[in-house]
Amino acid sequence: MHGSGEPGDEQLRREGRTVSHEESRSARRDRAVRQAVEQGLLGPDRPIVALLDVTGIRQSAAGLRAAFEAVAAPGTRILHAFAVKAAPLVPVLRLLRDEGVGAEVASPGELALARAAGIAPERTVLDSPAKTPAELREALALGIAVNADNPQELARIDALVGAGTPRSPLGLRVNPQLGSGAIEALSTATATSKFGVALRDEGAREWVVRAYLERPWLTRLHAHTGSQGVALELMARGVAETYELAEEINRRAGRRQVDTLDIGGGLPVNFASEAITPTYGAYARVLRDTVPGLFDGRYGIVTEFGRSLLAKHGTLLARVEYAKRAGGRPVAVTHAGVQVATRTVYAPQEWPLRIAAYDAKGLPKQGPAVEQDIAGPACFAGDLLAREYPLPLLEQGDYAAALDTGAYYFAHHYAYNSLPRPAVHGFVADESGEVSFALVRPAQTTEEIVRESGGDHADALVEGLGG
Ligand SMILES: *Cc1c(COP(=O)(O)O)cnc(C)c1O
């Protein structure tokens, strides 16, 4: 289930076994947890901390690059733009830049994070369903690629481009309307999705083709049809429809007007075990088999993966403040709940998390599995990380670890009960077992909470209105 009792890399090597990425990852995590406790990154006064496995992130980024290089014709232009919303942390964006990955941004804040990380405009893509004129103007001035979401946005871009030639590569987002995956709220390619131009609506496809023919500077076509719960085949069909549309536009234009296909992100993540499945390699092969023309070198390719690059590499560690029983069930009251695992708490069926148990010294907890609830600190009954979860019985002072939380969890703080954002540390574990940590984001202080909650405007409602 987790690192408990698993042999370390060194031991496996001594036994002459090769070390799989899965084994290495859980062994690295165990070492990092132990060192985090020993080095005081968490303890009685710091009851929650988040850890990022830098080695794992680098491996995922390298795996992504290799997977697409293996199926694409030599010389194909490929930009992997990390969807910043999955982990909006500047040092993470800088680490990914170091691995040759750019940024997909969807708000002024995300664009500012990408710029703070030093990601070049030509490696940045702006998508969002609600861009203001000011955002569009800034992106075009910087030369950042923009995918227009709808006809009204395209009209705004027309006005900005005028008679000139834009520096930014510009495209249009389309929705192939392929239907829903397993999670409705995350399915972007349904008939009534809010994203992009709905291709199967009456007259829409013809409108899109004409929009391109009238605008020689529209050179990209964008679709993002995947997400957690969507099968690879459905994702690939979305890409195939997008490719066919690009071919039609280019046929009717009589030239290769669309030169780049942005195929979005959305590779699902396995939250049920340590295994990384599906892999980038598997998706790239399904794409090659479904849409062979995509990789023959005629088109540049942009991808926008988020969750699949980061999820497996994050661990949320929370101290067990109290261990109690209710109605015969053991309940571990920890410091990780809705503020750091919002989706899991509000939609536990769709977003179950694996939990691992560590003792007060940070060692994998031993003992028979007992079904117990792992609760968070917030003041509502549903604030549970997991229900009836089989683990060695957690006791006061132990640590519960929520695994696979590197994307859309601790980086997505929800300020319920004014609980603070936890510190995030990146770590590297070397061959000898030595673990080094680097601060990615400090914990939010109580003073910051007061200031961000209007603390500097305390009199606003009793004196500021002239009453
Ligand atoms: C959210 C999003 C992504 C990334 O999705 P993941 O599921 O995190 O890979 C990529 N592109 C767009 C347009 C998105 O909205």
Side-chain angles (χ1 to χ4, degrees), residues 27-207:
R28 277 198 304 275
R29 181 170 62 228
D30 284 352
R31 267 186 246 135
V33 170
R34 172 141 196 216
Q35 285 294 313
V37 173
E38 282 183 5
Q39 297 185 26
L41 298 186
L42 81 169
D45 300 325
R46 291 182 190 159
I48 177 168
V49 75
L51 303 179
L52 282 170
D53 176 359
V54 171
T55 307
I57 296 170
R58 285 193 187 275
Q59 282 172 352
S60 283
L64 170 60
R65 287 200 321 269
F68 277 74
E69 276 162 22
V71 295
T76 305
R77 291 171 296 117
I78 303 178
L79 169 63
H80 297 295
F82 174 64
V84 171
K85 77 167 182 269
L89 297 164
V90 173
V92 169
L93 304 182
R94 175 68 67 94
L95 171 66
L96 289 171
R97 184 190 77 160
D98 203 43
E99 287 292 334
V101 175
E104 187 263 357
V105 300
S107 71
E110 288 183 358
L111 175 55
L113 298 184
R115 297 185 73 192
I119 295 173
E122 50 297 352
R123 302 188 63 77
T124 304
V125 180
L126 173 65
D127 300 323
S128 105
K131 307 175 199 79
T132 63
E135 283 179 73
L136 290 168
R137 198 174 311 114
E138 182 188 16
L140 266 60
L142 290 168
I144 286 168
V146 176
N147 289 312
D149 181 84
N150 59 65
Q152 291 182 345
E153 188 167 287
L154 200 51
R156 284 181 173 174
I157 293 176
D158 283 342
L160 289 168
V161 170
T165 309
R167 253 206 313 152
S168 297
L170 297 170
L172 184 67
R173 178 167 182 174
V174 294
N175 167 17
Q177 290 166 296
L178 293 173
S180 179
I183 303 176
E184 178 71 29
L186 262 71
S187 295
T188 50
T190 58
T192 56
S193 162
K194 72 172 180 177
F195 294 111
V197 176
L199 273 188
R200 295 183 187 196
D201 285 10
E202 206 182 328
R205 193 183 178 91
E206 185 58 23
W207 180 86

Side-chain angles (χ1 to χ4, degrees), residues 5 15 24 34 40 53 199 216 221 238 250 265 274 278 283 291-292 300-301 316 318 361 390 394 417 428-429 453:
E15 292 167 4
S24 313
R34 172 141 196 216
D53 176 359
L199 273 188
L221 193 59
N250 287 347
E274 202 64 52
Y283 181 41
V291 206
I301 295 169
L316 198 49
K361 292 197 169 106
L394 284 164
N417 275 147
V428 170
S453 305

Side-chain angles (χ1 to χ4, degrees), residues 83 85-86 104 127 173 222 224 227 264-267 304-307 408:
K85 77 167 182 269
E104 187 263 357
D127 300 323
R173 178 167 182 174
H222 175 222
H224 166 66
S227 63
L267 194 73
E304 305 171 344
F305 295 103
R307 180 177 289 109
Y408 303 102

